[in-house]
Amino acid sequence: MSTVTLRNAILEARAALTGVTAVTDLVPARNITFGNSPQKDNMPRIVIEVSSAEYEATFTQSRKVQTFTVEYAVYSDSVDTCTAIMDEVRLALDAYTSSAFAVRVTDESFQAEVDNVLLGVVVSTFQDTAGSPGFDVNAASELAAWEAA
């Protein structure tokens, strides 16, 4: 079982795409990267960013839910290519299974950038799953016991 850390969330965020032929047929794995990407650099390209990490403390403070928000920025020079990649990213995330994270697509957006570069963004969450270190499966029962006391 994977340990729930930011590092592992980042690695799994990329693996969720690079392991899917439908995605890598449209965007080579070498063009699925982290961090900023210069305009018109090796398009199409997917840039992955963890935009937030949320830690929800429990009553025992020894366990917590961890949710990482991951953004997949798709850069392309055509609407058809950009939206086709976005569709495949969404499908790959919907189908991705992990021993540490539950993955869920939460939002999508599309806009034109400068120099005829199109940007589509697929937003997802990687949330700690029951059974992995850190996830509080007993939060509701702990709250009920605390309220009853």
Side-chain angles (χ1 to χ4, degrees):
M1 176 175 306
S2 296
T3 302
V4 176
T5 64
L6 175 61
R7 180 179 190 280
N8 286 343
I10 291 168
L11 295 174
E12 288 205 34
R14 185 170 188 273
L17 302 188
T18 58
V20 178
T21 304
V23 174
T24 58
D25 282 350
L26 296 171
V27 180
R30 70 180 175 279
N31 287 358
I32 301 173
T33 62
F34 304 102
N36 291 328
S37 176
Q39 294 289 344
K40 296 192 172 197
D41 185 33
N42 297 320
M43 290 195 298
R45 173 175 224 83
I46 299 172
V47 177
I48 303 168
E49 178 182 326
V50 177
S51 60
S52 70
E54 183 178 323
Y55 302 90
E56 299 175 20
T58 68
F59 292 102
T60 64
Q61 296 296 312
S62 63
R63 295 168 293 177
K64 59 192 163 207
V65 174
Q66 296 175 317
T67 303
F68 301 98
T69 300
V70 179
E71 296 182 9
Y72 296 87
V74 177
Y75 293 91
S76 178
D77 57 2
S78 89
V79 172
D80 287 341
T81 301
C82 191
T83 55
I85 295 167
M86 290 174 69
D87 288 345
E88 293 303 332
V89 167
R90 190 180 64 254
L91 291 171
L93 293 172
D94 286 344
Y96 186 70
T97 57
S98 167
S99 63
F101 297 103
V103 179
R104 183 169 66 99
V105 173
T106 59
D107 194 19
E108 291 182 279
S109 64
F110 179 84
Q111 66 188 38
E113 295 279 298
V114 298
D115 297 329
N116 297 316
V117 174
L118 301 171
L119 170 63
V121 179
V122 178
V123 181
S124 66
T125 56
F126 280 63
Q127 185 175 31
D128 192 3
T129 57
S132 64
F135 188 73
D136 184 5
V137 295
N138 297 312
S141 61
E142 287 177 7
L143 176 61
W146 180 76
E147 288 176 338

